[in-house]
Amino acid sequence: MDFNAYAVLITGGASGIGLAVAHSLLEEGWKVVVADVDANSIDAARASMPSDHARCVVLDVTDEAAVADTLEHVERHFAPLAGLVNCAGIGRDVPFLDTDVALLRRTLEVNLVGTFVVARETARRMRGRGHGAIVNITSVSGLRGNLGRAAYGASKGGVVTLTQVMAIELAEYGIRVNAVAPGPIDTPLVSRMHAPEARQRWLAHVPQKRYAEPSELSGTISWLLDDRRSGYVTGQVICVDGGFIAGGLIRA
Ligand code: NAI
C-alpha cells in the first residue's frame, strides 16, 4: 500500500498512547489525523507535528453527527482512511460498591459507544474500497477483574466483543479489526488513575516489574495497521502488558 495516499485516524490522539502512535505513524510515512475532545491538547499536538501529512481536529467521539462530518471533511480534503486507531478513553479507579450509575454510563458512552460510532462510520467508508484496518484500544482490565474497574473494565470488555463481531462481519469487505490490550502505561490517564498504593499493586503483578512508555505500543499498532505485515490477522486481542495476562503466581 502507498502510505502517502492514505490516512490513519487516531481518536484520543492528542495525549498518551494516541499521541505516541501518531508521531510514530508519521515517521513511517502515513498521513495522520489526530482527533481529540480536548482543544488545548489538540493545539499542542498540532505544534508538535508541523507536517503536511498531519491534521489535528477537535472531535468528541460520542457525537455521532460530528464524527460523520469530520470523516467526510477528512476524506474530501485530506486523504481516504485506510486505518483507524480507536484510542479515546476515560477511566476512574472506583470500588464496585461506590460506583454510581452516572459514572458507569459516562464510561460506557466514551469508551464503548464512542469506539462503536467512529468504527462504524469509518468502516462504512472503507467498505467500498475493499481494504482497511481498525485497531481498538481495550485494556487488560477488559480481560480480567481488576480492583476498581467496574465501569472501566465493563467498557473495555465490551470493546473486546465489539472487535470480534466487527472482524467477522467486515472480513468480506477486506477490513481487518483487532484490539490491543495495554497493561499499565505511564500516561496522563494513569497518573490520574493510579495512586501510589495502586502503582505498587500493579508492579507486583507485572512480570517485567515496570510500567511501559506510551511509545512501546506503537510497533504493535503500526503492525496491525499494515496489510503487508499482518494481512491475515483479524479478530485478535493482543496484550502489550509486560506479561500481566500470562501471570498467575509470579515472583515478588
Ligand atoms: P490519555 O488520557 O493520555 O489519552 C486519552 C485521550 O482521549 C485524551 O487526550 C482525552 O482528551 C481523549 N478523550 C477522552 N474523551 C474523549 C472523547 N469523548 N472524544 C475524543 N477524545 C477523548 O490516556 P492514555 O493512557 O493514552 O489512554 C489511551 C487509551 O488507552 C484509552 O482508551 C485507555 O483506556 C487505554 N488504556 C490505557 C492504559 C494505560 O495504562 N495508560 C492501559 C490500558 C488501556
Side-chain angles (χ1 to χ4, degrees):
M1 180 184 316
D2 176 9
F3 284 2
N4 282 301
Y6 291 98
V8 178
L9 172 65
I10 304 144
T11 72
S15 176
I17 296 167
L19 184 62
V21 169
H23 280 288
S24 167
L25 294 176
L26 261 181
E27 278 167 24
E28 289 175 20
W30 287 99
K31 290 182 169 170
V32 301
V33 180
V34 171
D36 202 290
V37 73
D38 185 328
N40 290 332
S41 302
I42 278 291
D43 286 344
R46 190 179 291 116
S48 78
M49 43 185 88
S51 161
D52 282 351
H53 280 198
R55 295 286 184 277
C56 297
V57 296
V58 175
L59 177 68
D60 180 344
V61 294
T62 68
D63 183 339
E64 208 178 335
V67 168
D69 285 353
T70 299
L71 293 187
E72 169 67 19
H73 191 269
V74 161
E75 293 214 325
R76 187 181 291 259
H77 298 290
F78 187 48
L81 291 169
L84 164 66
V85 184
N86 260 317
C87 208
I90 57 172
R92 297 243 331 260
D93 181 353
V94 182
F96 169 71
L97 292 175
D98 300 331
T99 297
D100 59 37
V101 170
L103 174 63
L104 177 63
R105 288 211 168 103
R106 181 65 193 150
T107 310
L108 291 172
E109 182 71 9
V110 175
N111 295 1
L112 182 56
V113 178
T115 295
F116 168 86
V117 166
V118 182
R120 191 195 57 188
E121 289 306 312
T122 306
R124 283 176 173 168
R125 290 176 170 276
M126 290 171 166
R127 170 171 51 182
R129 296 194 280 268
H131 67 88
I134 296 175
V135 179
N136 295 324
I137 307 301
T138 176
S139 168
V140 292
S141 296
L143 299 168
R144 291 287 187 278
N146 286 327
L147 283 175
R149 302 295 189 268
Y152 183 77
S155 75
K156 294 298 189 176
V159 170
V160 170
T161 310
L162 177 64
T163 300
Q164 292 166 335
V165 174
M166 287 173 60
I168 61 106
E169 290 198 11
L170 299 178
E172 69 176 293
Y173 305 115
I175 302 169
R176 296 179 302 107
V177 188
N178 292 286
V180 169
I185 317 295
D186 263 324
T187 67
L189 177 79
V190 150
S191 60
R192 289 189 299 272
M193 225 172 148
H194 294 202
E197 321 81 72
R199 210 175 164 93
Q200 287 315 313
R201 272 201 298 270
W202 277 97
L203 288 173
H205 287 90
V206 173
Q208 288 192 358
K209 299 293 174 201
R210 66 181 181 89
Y211 281 45
E213 294 299 318
S215 60
E216 294 185 70
L217 275 295
S218 303
T220 305
I221 295 170
S222 151
W223 173 72
L224 286 170
L225 288 171
D226 185 348
D227 284 342
R228 295 168 310 182
R229 294 187 286 164
S230 60
Y232 201 46
V233 180
T234 196
Q236 298 303 303
V237 181
I238 299 182
C239 297
V240 181
D241 67 349
F244 176 86
I245 287 291
L249 185 64
I250 70 164
R251 252 180 244 290

